[in-house]
Amino acid sequence: MKTFQCNCKDQPTLFFESNLCIACGRTVGFDDEFNQVEPYELDEANGHFFKAADPEIRYQKCDNNAQFKACNGMVNLNTFVPVAGKDEVLCFACRFNETIPDLSIVEHIPLWKKMEAAKRRALYTLNALPVPLRTISQDPESGLSFDFITDRNVKDHFASKLTHHEAVFTGHDCGHITINLAEADDVARSSTKIAMGEHYRTLLGHFRHELGHYYFDQLIANSPEKHALCKQYFGDDELDYQKAMDHHYKNGAPENWHKTFISEYATMHPYEDWAETWAHYMHIIDTLETAQNFSITGSTSGNTADNEEVGELELPQDHYYFSVQTPISNILDTWMDFSVILNSLNRSMGLDDAYPFVLTQPVRTKLSFIHHAIHNRLNRLPALVLDEDNDSPKDKTKS
């Protein structure tokens, strides 16, 4: 995630979540292009905002920004088209919301803000990629929407069920993504992580995983050729899902799963393998963009600086990680080095590894498929050969 700069005298850094410049005091935020945090001038005569470079275009804070500071979105009033039957003025990111939590329960509000922060980060990455990103009002058939709801009691960290509430499961269904509000509660999420024996469980990870299911439908499922090719990499996603899930929760992941899968959950069904791999691809390119933004370099050898054999990690500053021009092999090689630094920094602070995963060659091959699918370059994938040890696909060339 990049940082930005205010254009005031001191040019202070603006962060992704910033809504105010601490140097000049101006309102800052994202407009509907959703690619830059920038400052806005206030027209005190009518309460509207404008950019100094283009004062004719008027902006208003997103309702969720103005009322709750749940986002930092600014709405272009010159182009804004309200949704039929609704009087809300919502920004780019908030327009994807179909249902938000019951805000009359005050304890829901800070958790909802966490949901919105994770959602915006997920959408920012997608907005920089050549993939469809439309709301259901823009595209009723294939658009994307979010429901943030819960069936549990926030007052006891979601341990007890609410009466007269249907069960809420985090998941994806035909463009509608549901995230249980409990996932925004650190205590509840940590308890689930421990109970499930997981090494990694984050709110942003949930969004990216479920978005992976959505983009399987958008990029793969509707094309017989792409779908057939995808099965070569991930397996047959048309296998009975319920049987696969029952088997997984009864027997766990197969022995030596880590040789061919990114996570234990990915072993459950090819559909989940795709979604897990998609989420990791998003984690990787977003984190590398952040590192690139800060021009991070460092030694991955563990030797002293005067050793001639010190291997210095130099993130390729000319590589834009969201671009088709950046080879997937470069992305993954850079990530393998950088994740060592990332994990070492965490350990120095007494924290768990930030990225407790291993990218084996079969996993790299699947990540390569995701990369090529996003950039509509599946016809340029290297040919596959069968791994004799585990019958998993791998590229003839390093992907």
Side-chain angles (χ1 to χ4, degrees):
M1 198 67 62
K2 295 189 296 185
T3 55
F4 308 90
Q5 280 189 313
C6 186
N7 59 10
C8 64
K9 179 181 177 181
D10 295 332
Q11 294 190 319
T13 298
L14 302 176
F15 295 95
F16 185 79
E17 297 85 0
S18 295
N19 54 32
L20 187 75
C21 174
I22 59 173
C24 67
R26 285 182 296 175
T27 292
V28 302
F30 281 104
D31 68 9
D32 290 333
E33 295 298 316
F34 201 58
N35 57 17
Q36 183 176 353
V37 176
E38 53 191 329
Y40 293 80
E41 312 289 342
L42 174 63
D43 185 340
E44 295 184 359
N46 55 28
H48 292 162
F49 294 86
F50 62 92
K51 299 177 185 178
D54 195 352
E56 297 302 316
I57 299 179
R58 294 292 156 143
Y59 294 85
Q60 176 179 319
K61 285 186 178 181
C62 170
D63 286 353
N64 292 336
N65 182 1
Q67 297 176 34
F68 300 101
K69 288 186 169 57
C71 70
N72 57 354
M74 303 294 289
V75 181
N76 184 334
L77 296 178
N78 295 47
T79 59
F80 176 70
V81 178
V83 176
K86 297 183 179 181
D87 58 1
E88 300 169 308
V89 178
L90 299 178
C91 65
F92 171 85
C94 289
R95 290 173 205 154
F96 287 91
N97 292 347
E98 187 71 9
T99 310
I100 63 172
D102 180 358
L103 301 184
S104 68
I105 302 173
V106 295
E107 293 89 349
H108 283 176
I109 296 175
L111 300 179
W112 171 53
K113 289 182 178 181
K114 290 183 180 181
M115 301 281 270
E116 292 295 336
K119 182 196 71 180
R120 291 200 311 278
R121 283 182 173 267
L123 292 179
Y124 172 85
T125 305
L126 293 170
N127 193 50
L129 293 169
V131 294
L133 187 57
R134 299 180 295 270
T135 66
I136 56 173
S137 63
Q138 294 172 313
D139 185 350
E141 294 296 322
S142 302
L144 174 66
S145 69
F146 294 94
D147 291 327
F148 303 145
I149 53 180
T150 189
D151 58 341
R152 293 186 170 272
N153 189 349
V154 65
K155 297 183 186 297
D156 62 3
H157 296 289
F158 300 92
S160 61
K161 286 186 64 67
L162 296 170
T163 57
H164 310 299
H165 281 69
E166 293 185 4
V168 174
F169 298 101
T170 294
H172 166 262
D173 182 20
C174 299
H176 299 279
I177 290 176
T178 300
I179 308 286
N180 195 315
L181 188 63
E183 292 295 343
D185 182 276
D186 293 341
V187 173
R189 190 178 61 257
S190 296
S191 297
T192 303
K193 176 184 174 183
I194 293 169
M196 300 289 287
E198 297 172 337
H199 299 291
Y200 178 90
R201 188 182 185 93
T202 68
L203 194 50
L204 180 56
H206 277 303
F207 275 95
R208 286 177 168 159
H209 176 96
E210 300 306 334
L211 283 162
H213 288 310
Y214 171 71
Y215 280 103
F216 179 85
D217 291 347
Q218 298 301 305
L219 303 180
I220 302 298
N222 292 327
S223 167
E225 295 81 9
K226 292 179 180 179
H227 198 179
L229 183 60
C230 185
K231 289 180 179 180
Q232 295 180 34
Y233 284 75
F234 292 92
D236 186 1
D237 57 274
E238 295 178 301
L239 293 173
D240 189 293
Y241 186 88
Q242 186 63 50
K243 287 183 179 179
M245 183 172 67
D246 292 343
H247 181 272
H248 177 78
Y249 285 117
K250 179 181 179 181
N251 301 294
E255 188 177 357
N256 296 326
W257 62 266
H258 57 277
K259 291 184 177 181
T260 51
F261 295 92
I262 191 64
S263 69
E264 292 181 74
Y265 190 66
T267 70
M268 188 176 84
H269 189 275
Y271 194 51
E272 299 302 342
D273 192 12
W274 161 278
E276 285 285 273
T277 307
W278 174 281
H280 278 260
Y281 180 84
M282 296 297 154
H283 289 331
I284 288 168
I285 62 171
D286 188 13
T287 307
L288 286 178
E289 187 203 33
T290 304
Q292 181 189 56
N293 178 79
F294 288 100
S295 301
I296 293 177
T297 61
S299 169
T300 59
S301 69
N303 296 327
T304 56
D306 58 354
N307 189 324
E308 293 182 359
E309 296 182 357
V310 164
E312 187 176 75
L313 171 64
E314 295 182 356
L315 294 174
Q317 300 301 311
D318 58 335
H319 282 169
Y320 179 46
Y321 290 105
F322 299 160
S323 171
V324 68
Q325 302 303 323
T326 306
I328 183 62
S329 57
N330 288 22
I331 293 173
L332 298 181
D333 288 346
T334 301
W335 177 249
M336 293 293 283
D337 281 342
F338 181 68
S339 63
V340 173
I341 294 176
L342 193 62
N343 289 340
S344 297
L345 289 171
N346 263 32
R347 293 176 188 182
S348 295
M349 293 293 294
L351 300 172
D352 293 337
D353 286 353
Y355 193 76
F357 304 95
V358 177
L359 302 187
T360 62
Q361 186 56 43
V363 171
R364 287 172 63 104
T365 299
K366 294 173 188 177
L367 286 163
S368 177
F369 185 94
I370 297 286
H371 176 79
H372 285 79
I374 286 171
H375 293 287
N376 198 25
R377 297 293 183 91
L378 288 177
N379 61 325
R380 300 191 181 187
L381 272 174
L384 286 177
V385 295
L386 195 64
D387 189 321
E388 296 177 357
D389 294 331
N390 50 42
D391 293 337
S392 65
K394 63 179 182 180
D395 294 343
K396 285 183 178 178
T397 58
K398 290 187 73 175
S399 57

